[in-house]
Amino acid sequence: MGKKFFRVFFWLSLLIAVSIPSVSMAAGPQEQPTIMLGARGDNVRIVQKYLADSGFYAGDIDGIFGPITAKAVKEFQHSSSLNVNGIVDKETFAYLGRLAGMPSRYSRALSMKASAYSAYDPGNGSYTYGGNLLRKGLAAVDPAVIPLGTRLYIPGYGYAIADDIGGAIKGQRIDLAFDNRHEALNFGVQRVTVYVVDG
């Protein structure tokens, strides 16, 4: 009686295990769903973070795929010679995940004096001149030298978007945003090469 019960229990357990698909908590690029205008959630946050880290997105990483995120996706697709449709499919997501390092194309390389700032510095606000929440990946520039909205690459810092201005930021000066005051103080003031990235 005991052996028969065990055999029945074993086969029922096996049948249940085979019939229920496994669910992965962390979807990789292969399982990445198509993400488009109107989508919300963690997958959108991942896309926004990739876009921000590569200098295409200056907005909030809020998990809402709105028109600003769609515009950034289209700009990324254009620069990567992908189908420009504003939809993050497997190919676009894979390209986003691989993007890192020095840009292959740039129009100018400027030697500039770089300082650092954060939203937590005395006298600073929480938003840039462009209206975006101040965070790493945004920079204050002199618009007469670098137009606002320009995508930049700074070795040792990464990609940035010219999204802010400042009274002391004139001529060959740039102010790089950081997420906290400690990081900004650690950066200090440095001479950097600022690459103006081609779209």
Side-chain angles (χ1 to χ4, degrees), residues 117-161:
Y117 72 124
S118 78
Y120 303 98
D121 299 345
N124 282 356
S126 297
Y127 291 87
T128 65
Y129 181 81
N132 295 300
L133 193 64
L134 187 59
R135 59 163 174 78
K136 190 174 187 296
L138 303 177
V141 297
D142 180 347
V145 178
I146 298 175
L148 291 174
T150 301
R151 186 169 168 247
L152 310 168
Y153 178 78
I154 303 95
Y157 179 83
Y159 286 92
I161 296 174

Side-chain angles (χ1 to χ4, degrees), residues 21-118:
S22 62
V23 178
S24 172
M25 294 302 289
Q30 298 301 326
E31 297 84 29
Q32 180 63 31
T34 299
I35 305 170
M36 61 186 71
L37 196 65
R40 290 172 176 257
D42 289 339
N43 286 325
V44 177
R45 284 190 188 86
I46 292 168
V47 168
Q48 290 173 328
K49 182 71 166 66
Y50 276 146
L51 289 167
D53 289 348
S54 54
F56 286 94
Y57 180 70
D60 293 341
I61 299 172
D62 55 8
I64 301 170
F65 200 122
I68 296 172
T69 302
K71 180 176 181 287
V73 169
K74 287 179 181 178
E75 289 172 356
F76 171 78
Q77 289 172 329
H78 175 73
S79 77
S80 301
S81 300
L82 297 169
N83 181 29
V84 181
N85 57 14
I87 297 171
V88 181
D89 54 14
K90 284 184 180 179
E91 186 179 27
T92 298
F93 189 83
Y95 269 72
L96 277 167
R98 287 197 299 261
L99 189 65
M102 179 79 183
S104 57
R105 296 176 300 180
Y106 58 90
S107 58
R108 289 186 292 160
L110 306 170
S111 178
M112 304 187 83
K113 185 177 181 180
S115 49
Y117 72 124
S118 78

